[in-house]
Amino acid sequence: MTHFMPQAASLDAAYARCRELHRAHGRSYYLATRLLPAWKRRHVHALYGVTRCTDDIVDGGGGAETARGGPGRARQLEAWASRFYAAVDGAQVPAEPILLAARHTIATFGLSRADFDAFFASMRMDLQVRAYADYGALLEYMEGSPALIGTVMRPILLAPDAGPGPVPAAAAAVAREPARQLGLAFQLTNFIRDVAEDLDRGRVYLPAADLDSFGVRRDDLAAPPASPAVRALIAFEIERARAHYRRALPGLAALPARSRRCVRLAYAVYGGILDRIEQADCDVLAGRAVVPRRQRAAAVVRELARSA
């Protein structure tokens, strides 16, 4: 990997832009990052910036072209991917703040290019695939979707809280699968919550085999309030997501203290979305489930008290 030394002021401004983007659009994730040491926090913001900018291309604008994965959006995605790889691989310092911060983060932690290849492959699928036959097919997508962020963030979270340093090989090995499971849990939580929103974009992420099992038609997902069959389907998917959350728990012990409390908070707040959906009798068509601010604040207080 090419090493580079951007001016400190430029780099600080780039990370600040990533933080602003994260704070504006990733409330649950952003809240959890506040518990990380400052030196780790900015690297998480940089990775979020890459995924957010990519999502904005894939999802933005609405309309028929987006729903069908029109050529304009595909060209934008390829152009963005090309600029990303040029920033990561090239000798020239990128002008775009998000790419400057991402390049520095990737270089600092030696993050795998293959993980980003998988991410962009899944984002291309979002422009081409409108449904998934079964959970295996959806898992294939999620392995490279923003769920990948759990795996990519692993080197950052495992690093010593005090500052950059070596990560014990045993801890890295133990944490890999739990990090993957937590990424899958977060992504599946999004799919459950955003059924109506995704359908507006022409996509159904819940597997077709599951819809068939519960007697749910695609059109039923566009007809609020949710029918008993749709509610039963959502309850089934919630338990599947919770199974991923449970499989993620063993990885907590491998993390340094402040990374551990960050992940515990994200686990509690993001998992709380599933609780809110259940409190609404699994009707995800009537409105978007949101964890109230007071509940998020209480989770922070509990985590800080637990740490103390």
Side-chain angles (χ1 to χ4, degrees), residues 241-284:
R242 286 201 166 120
H244 286 298
Y245 281 107
R246 289 192 293 271
R247 293 182 197 123
L249 282 174
L252 287 174
L255 298 175
R258 293 187 65 180
S259 288
R260 186 162 57 247
R261 72 184 191 184
C262 164
V263 173
R264 276 199 307 251
L265 179 59
Y267 188 109
V269 173
Y270 222 74
I273 293 171
L274 300 180
D275 297 333
R276 297 290 293 179
I277 293 171
E278 288 182 322
Q279 290 163 14
D281 196 21
C282 295
D283 187 355
V284 293

Side-chain angles (χ1 to χ4, degrees), residues 11-280:
L11 190 58
D12 288 345
Y15 276 115
R17 174 60 186 137
C18 294
R19 184 182 67 246
E20 292 167 4
L21 197 63
H22 199 172
R23 182 172 54 196
H25 299 287
R27 290 179 299 180
S28 297
Y29 291 133
Y30 182 80
L31 179 65
T33 66
R34 304 306 298 167
L35 299 184
L36 287 173
W39 83 267
K40 289 186 182 183
R41 199 180 304 149
R42 67 178 191 164
H43 296 299
V44 176
H45 297 329
L47 294 179
Y48 179 86
V50 172
T51 61
R52 181 70 202 188
C53 288
T54 311
D55 278 345
D56 284 347
I57 292 170
V58 172
D59 293 339
E65 179 184 319
T66 303
R68 292 194 301 268
R73 209 149 295 283
R75 284 194 296 270
Q76 290 179 49
L77 178 59
E78 292 309 319
W80 167 248
S82 294
R83 296 200 305 277
F84 170 83
Y85 286 119
V88 171
D89 298 335
Q92 186 174 355
V93 177
E96 294 172 87
I98 302 300
L99 296 181
L100 177 60
R103 172 171 168 157
H104 183 256
T105 289
I106 291 167
T108 298
F109 293 93
L111 301 181
S112 169
R113 181 189 174 106
D115 285 337
F116 293 98
D117 291 344
F119 168 69
F120 281 109
S122 284
M123 295 302 94
R124 292 182 187 101
M125 290 175 66
D126 263 338
L127 296 178
Q128 300 164 359
V129 180
R130 301 182 67 186
Y132 295 86
D134 52 31
Y135 196 56
L138 183 60
L139 276 174
E140 182 180 348
Y141 165 81
M142 290 198 295
E143 294 291 357
S145 76
L148 177 72
I149 209 67
T151 304
V152 173
M153 278 183 54
R154 184 174 57 108
I156 301 172
L157 296 175
L158 283 169
D161 283 340
V167 174
V174 167
R176 182 169 183 82
E177 182 57 21
R180 172 179 171 270
Q181 290 293 331
L182 192 59
L184 294 173
F186 287 164
Q187 183 68 89
L188 188 53
T189 298
N190 282 338
F191 291 157
I192 294 167
R193 179 193 61 194
D194 297 338
V195 166
E197 184 178 327
D198 289 331
L199 187 61
D200 283 344
R201 296 186 176 113
R203 306 181 198 128
V204 175
Y205 289 104
L206 302 186
D210 295 350
L211 270 67
D212 291 343
S213 294
F214 288 90
V216 174
R217 300 169 303 169
R218 187 183 179 101
D219 289 347
D220 294 336
L221 302 178
S227 67
V230 170
R231 293 170 196 257
L233 168 66
I234 295 302
F236 172 80
E237 301 296 352
I238 286 174
E239 181 48 40
R240 174 177 271 161
R242 286 201 166 120
H244 286 298
Y245 281 107
R246 289 192 293 271
R247 293 182 197 123
L249 282 174
L252 287 174
L255 298 175
R258 293 187 65 180
S259 288
R260 186 162 57 247
R261 72 184 191 184
C262 164
V263 173
R264 276 199 307 251
L265 179 59
Y267 188 109
V269 173
Y270 222 74
I273 293 171
L274 300 180
D275 297 333
R276 297 290 293 179
I277 293 171
E278 288 182 322
Q279 290 163 14

